Amino acid sequence: MVSPAPCSRSWSISEDSLKRYVQFASESCIQELLSASDSTRGIGINNGNDGWKVLTLENGVEISKRRSGNGSFHTFRSRWLLRSVSPQQFIAVANAIDAAKQWDSDLVEARYIKDLDDNLSIIRLKFGDNSKPLFRNREFIVYERRETMEDGTLVVAVASLPKEIAAGLQPKQNNAIRGLLLQSGWVVERLDGDSCMVTYVVQLDPAGWMPKCFVNRLNNKLVKIIENLKKLAQACPIDGDT
């Protein structure tokens, strides 16, 4: 009898336990996102104490990176002052599914697996055969949590479930490769008028044999999707419109 490969392990978990785990994990992610947004620091200014290094500053968009705790893949961040876009407009498109559509156009499945609470869901994202090599046949089982802070700041946290828990909820299908979205999300801060400051953070491991430089280049590209999301947001009704 051949023993199953370690990657085939799955954990059966009750809905209450799953909810507690995801609430705990997402709270940690939210705090990381709020720390990364750092509204007290101006765009394009390096602060050696926070670990973020500004890479580019073009047209008011800052792209930064920070070495992750395990040193494998960098975390990337974009910060952008969006004028004539309200927080409510942008938050309507700041979600796991709309972001994945911008990562690669061959998103063949984006499905809500389970709603754990009004603001907490589990989602399956699956890319097809026609995706770019770094996304081809890859799938992600992620949670999405949406919160409004006391000061009105809107936060959306999205990250993968651990592989064993994901396998228990949604067995891997066919030849799909299960990637990991280690950390991602948005912080949307209201400014004067119909404008907002948006911070987007992402650290993704597509999985499989891939040179670290390719993955870091991919993560750098992913944080630039705010431009496309801004166009989607501008098509959304402004507060009070029907």
Side-chain angles (χ1 to χ4, degrees):
M1 179 177 179
V2 180
S3 299
C7 63
S8 67
R9 291 180 302 175
S10 64
W11 292 348
S12 177
I13 185 170
S14 70
E15 185 157 334
D16 284 345
S17 296
L18 175 63
K19 183 177 179 179
R20 285 196 299 271
Y21 170 79
V22 176
Q23 285 177 329
F24 176 81
S26 60
E27 183 61 33
S28 177
C29 186
I30 284 173
Q31 295 307 315
E32 288 285 338
L33 293 171
L34 289 171
S35 175
S37 67
D38 189 13
S39 59
T40 62
R41 181 181 60 78
I43 286 181
I45 299 175
N46 269 315
N47 180 354
N49 296 326
D50 63 6
W52 290 101
K53 178 182 179 182
V54 176
L55 301 177
T56 62
L57 178 62
E58 297 179 5
N59 301 318
V61 184
E62 173 199 302
I63 305 294
S64 309
K65 73 174 181 179
R66 183 174 66 183
R67 186 177 297 277
S68 63
N70 59 20
S72 56
F73 301 123
H74 291 122
T75 304
F76 285 82
R77 173 187 70 183
S78 58
R79 302 177 73 224
W80 199 336
L81 171 58
L82 299 184
R83 301 190 185 279
S84 301
V85 177
S86 71
Q88 285 70 27
Q89 281 179 288
F90 190 83
I91 209 70
V93 298
N95 58 73
I97 293 175
D98 280 328
K101 290 176 182 177
Q102 306 306 319
W103 294 350
D104 192 284
S105 59
D106 193 33
L107 180 68
V108 296
E109 183 178 336
R111 178 169 57 88
Y112 283 84
I113 297 174
K114 188 181 290 288
D115 290 325
L116 299 175
D117 211 333
D118 291 342
N119 65 338
L120 190 61
S121 301
I122 306 298
I123 301 170
R124 179 177 186 255
L125 305 170
K126 173 68 170 63
F127 295 89
D129 295 334
N130 297 319
S131 294
K132 300 179 183 69
L134 288 173
F135 283 108
R136 189 171 298 146
N137 291 325
R138 277 163 173 80
E139 66 175 9
F140 300 85
I141 308 300
V142 302
Y143 66 74
E144 177 183 271
R145 179 174 170 182
R146 309 172 77 83
E147 289 287 351
T148 301
M149 303 293 105
E150 290 184 359
D151 63 357
T153 297
L154 305 172
V155 186
V156 182
V158 182
S160 286
L161 294 177
K163 286 186 176 181
E164 294 84 358
I165 295 178
L169 285 175
Q170 183 75 42
K172 189 164 67 72
Q173 298 179 6
N174 301 327
N175 62 339
I177 300 169
R178 187 152 284 176
L180 289 174
L181 182 56
L182 301 172
Q183 175 188 2
S184 77
W186 295 262
V187 177
V188 185
E189 302 167 81
R190 179 183 295 278
L191 302 177
D192 293 336
D194 284 330
S195 299
C196 58
M197 176 72 76
V198 176
T199 301
Y200 179 45
V201 173
V202 66
Q203 184 188 26
L204 182 144
D205 177 6
W209 186 87
M210 293 192 182
K212 187 189 305 183
C213 61
F214 287 0
V215 177
N216 284 333
R217 195 178 307 161
L218 168 68
N219 285 322
N220 187 4
K221 178 182 178 182
L222 293 184
V223 292
K224 299 177 183 179
I225 67 170
I226 289 182
E227 172 65 25
N228 293 334
L229 292 177
K230 174 187 175 183
K231 295 174 182 176
L232 293 176
Q234 287 174 324
C236 293
I238 298 175
D239 298 347
D241 287 355
T242 57

